[in-house]
Amino acid sequence: MADLVVGIGLVLVIEGLLWALTPNLAERFLQAAASVPQSSLRAAGWSSVAIGLGLVWLIRG
């Protein structure tokens, strides 16, 4: 569970840096994501979850 909290914290740091350092680029990413169907976004989200959990499982073994 601690790994999950650390992972979420790292995602927030990376996202915060994206918005702080390049707000125009982040805004373009947001606009691009708004034009993608929800089913594709949902599939990408679940894929990211699976890959992330797999990586944590492999690293923490």
Side-chain angles (χ1 to χ4, degrees):
M1 196 61 158
D3 290 335
L4 178 63
V5 173
V6 170
I8 291 171
L10 286 173
V11 166
L12 291 174
V13 167
I14 291 168
E15 186 176 351
L17 284 173
L18 177 68
W19 283 98
L21 298 176
T22 57
N24 292 334
L25 181 62
E27 186 177 359
R28 283 191 299 218
F29 284 153
L30 187 60
Q31 288 173 349
S35 66
V36 175
Q38 284 186 356
S39 59
S40 296
L41 290 174
R42 187 170 287 119
W46 283 115
S47 298
S48 295
V49 168
I51 291 168
L53 287 174
L55 286 172
V56 170
W57 181 71
L58 284 174
I59 291 169
R60 298 293 292 180

